[in-house]
């Protein structure tokens, strides 16, 4: 039986089906693998070659995007962002966060196997799709399909934690691999529930990123402070005000383009805070 998926991808690329089939046979080699530094250690990137990236974008736009993610997910979702995520946890006594350890490499192909059937692909085309969006049995961090697939894999986890949150008068939301529960009572129970849920879903918690934050200290959610409303950190706001003053008076000699970007981000954050709080 001929593959409808292969035919549509070949037409999208402007390539022959036989040529595309040969490329797919060695698809694991169609990535550039490199590291980029982060605050602690490095992040391993597996970036698809241009032809594969084009195919993955096609699969995302024509298939994967039609499967909705859970409403508790705020990363890589239209009309949701770090601001809508952080706003869920503003002005509460306790904010508890955990991080899934090496999330994308931990998403195994077996966790994705039910997805092709949800948009009606037969088994052969379903296997072909999974071949194209995984590398060596896991989600590659760097493929355009991986963020949405990661959200889809975590739908059951999101549902479980949202149900638990409703039962205990907590708030729950997730931004990529950053899970947050907040409320006014029993932060140890919140942390235990987060850890239990992550483990039950087949992942590991990063112990260095488990935090219980009370109102007596700075409460962070995706780089925003949520103790009172939702703002950039005070020291960053002060620095940007000082830079603005120096720029107005012609005294600043640094990288004005980068700082103008930070100032624009701050102003956008202020508008988002007001809009989201008005909506709530």
């Amino acid at each position: 039986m001929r593959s409808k998926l292969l035919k549509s991808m070949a037409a999208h690329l402007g390539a022959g089906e036989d040529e595309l089939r040969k490329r797919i046979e060695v698809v694991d080699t169609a990535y550039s693998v490199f590291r980029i530094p982060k605050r602690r250690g490095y992040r391993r990137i597996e970036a698809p070659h241009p032809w594969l990236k084009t195919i993955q974008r096609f699969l995302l736009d024509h298939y994967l995007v039609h499967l909705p993610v859970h409403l508790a997910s705020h990363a890589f979702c239209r009309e949701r962002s770090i601001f809508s995520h952080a706003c869920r946890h503003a002005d509460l006594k306790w904010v508890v966060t955990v991080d899934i350890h090496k999330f994308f490499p931990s998403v195994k192909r077996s966790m994705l196997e039910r997805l092709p059937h949800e948009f009606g692909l037969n088994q052969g085309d379903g296997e072909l799709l999974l071949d194209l969006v995984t590398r060596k049995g896991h989600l590659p961090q760097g493929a355009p399909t991986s963020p949405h697939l990661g959200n889809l894999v975590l739908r059951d986890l999101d549902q479980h934690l949202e149900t638990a949150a409703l039962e205990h008068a907590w708030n729950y939301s997730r931004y990529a691999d950053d899970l947050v529960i907040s409320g006014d009572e029993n932060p140890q129970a919140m942390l235990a529930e987060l850890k239990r849920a992550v483990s039950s879903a087949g992942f590991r918690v990063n112990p260095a990123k488990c935090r219980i934050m009370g109102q007596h200290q700075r409460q962070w959610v995706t780089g925003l402070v949520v103790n009172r409303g939702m703002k950039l950190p005070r020291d960053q706001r002060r620095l940007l005000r000082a830079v603005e003053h120096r720029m107005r008076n012609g005294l600043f000699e640094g990288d004005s383009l980068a700082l103008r970007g930070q100032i624009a981000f701050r102003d956008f954050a202020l508008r988002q805070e007001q809009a989201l709080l008005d909506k709530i």
Side-chain angles (χ1 to χ4, degrees), residues 167-188:
E167 289 175 355
H168 295 89
W170 301 335
N171 292 324
Y172 165 72
S173 65
R174 177 179 59 80
Y175 192 89
D177 55 2
D178 177 44
L179 286 69
V180 184
I181 285 182
S182 58
D184 291 326
E185 296 181 7
N186 203 344
Q188 291 293 343

Side-chain angles (χ1 to χ4, degrees), residues 9-28:
M9 291 189 301
H12 183 71
L13 275 180
E17 292 181 43
D18 290 340
E19 176 191 352
L20 183 55
R21 187 178 288 106
K22 289 179 181 178
R23 290 188 179 188
I24 294 171
E25 287 175 356
V26 291
V27 70
D28 279 355

Side-chain angles (χ1 to χ4, degrees), residues 109 113 116-117 121-132:
R109 181 185 174 115
E113 288 178 347
H117 305 292
L121 289 182
N122 61 43
Q123 185 172 352
D125 278 349
E127 292 293 324
L128 174 59
L129 183 143
L130 294 182
D131 288 341
L132 290 162

Side-chain angles (χ1 to χ4, degrees), residues 2-72:
R2 295 187 65 186
S3 168
K4 293 182 180 179
L5 182 60
L6 183 67
K7 182 179 180 179
S8 61
M9 291 189 301
H12 183 71
L13 275 180
E17 292 181 43
D18 290 340
E19 176 191 352
L20 183 55
R21 187 178 288 106
K22 289 179 181 178
R23 290 188 179 188
I24 294 171
E25 287 175 356
V26 291
V27 70
D28 279 355
T29 66
Y31 289 85
S32 298
V33 182
F34 55 92
R35 297 177 177 183
I36 58 175
K38 59 179 183 178
R39 183 175 298 178
R40 295 178 180 175
Y42 63 89
R43 179 173 288 110
R44 187 171 187 265
I45 302 298
E46 297 169 288
H49 292 177
W51 73 267
L52 179 56
K53 185 175 182 180
T54 299
I55 286 296
Q56 290 171 341
R57 174 58 64 179
F58 171 81
L59 294 173
L60 177 64
D61 293 342
H62 290 80
Y63 294 92
L64 303 179
V65 77
H66 298 301
L67 297 183
V69 304
H70 196 278
L71 291 176

Side-chain angles (χ1 to χ4, degrees), residues 40-200:
R40 295 178 180 175
Y42 63 89
R43 179 173 288 110
R44 187 171 187 265
I45 302 298
E46 297 169 288
H49 292 177
W51 73 267
L52 179 56
K53 185 175 182 180
T54 299
I55 286 296
Q56 290 171 341
R57 174 58 64 179
F58 171 81
L59 294 173
L60 177 64
D61 293 342
H62 290 80
Y63 294 92
L64 303 179
V65 77
H66 298 301
L67 297 183
V69 304
H70 196 278
L71 291 176
S73 173
H74 291 256
F76 321 114
C77 300
R78 186 174 297 176
E79 298 183 356
R80 283 175 262 172
S81 65
I82 62 169
F83 303 106
S84 60
H85 173 55
C87 191
R88 294 276 299 154
H89 308 286
D91 303 305
L92 290 165
K93 188 174 181 180
W94 298 103
V95 175
V96 181
T97 67
V98 304
D99 183 90
I100 299 176
H101 183 62
K102 294 184 178 179
F103 174 61
F104 285 110
S106 298
V107 178
K108 305 305 180 187
R109 181 185 174 115
S110 59
M111 298 177 177
L112 304 167
E113 288 178 347
R114 69 175 181 173
L115 296 180
H117 305 292
E118 293 189 37
F119 37 76
L121 289 182
N122 61 43
Q123 185 172 352
D125 278 349
E127 292 293 324
L128 174 59
L129 183 143
L130 294 182
D131 288 341
L132 290 162
V133 299
T134 60
R135 180 174 187 261
K136 298 184 177 180
H138 66 266
L139 279 187
Q141 186 166 2
T145 44
S146 291
H148 189 68
L149 285 168
N151 279 338
L152 293 174
V153 164
L154 293 179
R155 287 179 298 181
D156 290 344
L157 173 66
D158 289 335
Q159 184 57 55
H160 171 81
L161 286 169
E162 183 176 76
T163 300
L166 290 172
E167 289 175 355
H168 295 89
W170 301 335
N171 292 324
Y172 165 72
S173 65
R174 177 179 59 80
Y175 192 89
D177 55 2
D178 177 44
L179 286 69
V180 184
I181 285 182
S182 58
D184 291 326
E185 296 181 7
N186 203 344
Q188 291 293 343
M190 298 182 206
L191 180 58
E193 186 61 41
L194 284 171
K195 287 182 174 180
R196 185 164 48 247
V198 169
S199 178
S200 296

Side-chain angles (χ1 to χ4, degrees), residues 193-213:
E193 186 61 41
L194 284 171
K195 287 182 174 180
R196 185 164 48 247
V198 169
S199 178
S200 296
F203 299 98
R204 289 191 297 141
V205 166
N206 184 345
K209 295 187 177 181
C210 294
R211 297 186 180 91
I212 293 177
M213 297 168 284

